[in-house]
Amino acid sequence: MANVLVVDDSATMREIVAGFLNQNGFQVAVASDGRDGLLQLRSDPGIKLIVSDVNMPNMDGLTMADKIRKELGNKDVRIIMLTTEDNPAMRARGKEVGVTGWIVKPFRGDAVLAPFKKFCGLS
């Protein structure tokens, strides 16, 4: 069972983020877009944190977050957007749909390690 789900259409970003988290004690699952992310979350109730890109084919990260909160009724999973988007309107939409946090790429793992561990109950 995973405790973190990394959702990104870039295989390179998935590998970077998942690899860093694995090396630091997390059990990680990956998904290639929001649709795949929803399927992963439905099949693994142990996921406590989702780290997702915003812009992806099939289903973007904000739509996925909205569906997690409304369709799945999951209010507990933490959702962090890891994206190149730094648009205030997009951040506001993220907050409206239940996004917990917003990180602008590049990914700096050491800066998020402590909060991610706390979200997953590892600290």
Side-chain angles (χ1 to χ4, degrees), residues 3-4 21 23-26 48-49 112-123:
N3 54 16
V4 178
L21 294 173
Q23 290 173 351
N24 284 282
F26 295 89
K48 297 185 182 326
L49 172 66
V112 298
L113 194 54
F116 282 14
K117 283 188 174 187
K118 184 176 179 182
F119 293 156
C120 293
L122 300 176
S123 61

Side-chain angles (χ1 to χ4, degrees), residues 34 38 54 59-68 81 93 97:
L38 283 176
V54 171
M59 183 185 296
D60 66 81
L62 295 177
T63 301
M64 178 187 68
D66 191 41
K67 289 181 178 290
I68 289 168
M81 290 294 137
R93 177 158 183 261
V97 299

Side-chain angles (χ1 to χ4, degrees), residues 1-14:
M1 235 190 301
N3 54 16
V4 178
L5 174 62
V6 176
V7 185
D8 201 306
D9 59 320
S10 164
T12 302
M13 277 306 298
R14 283 194 311 269

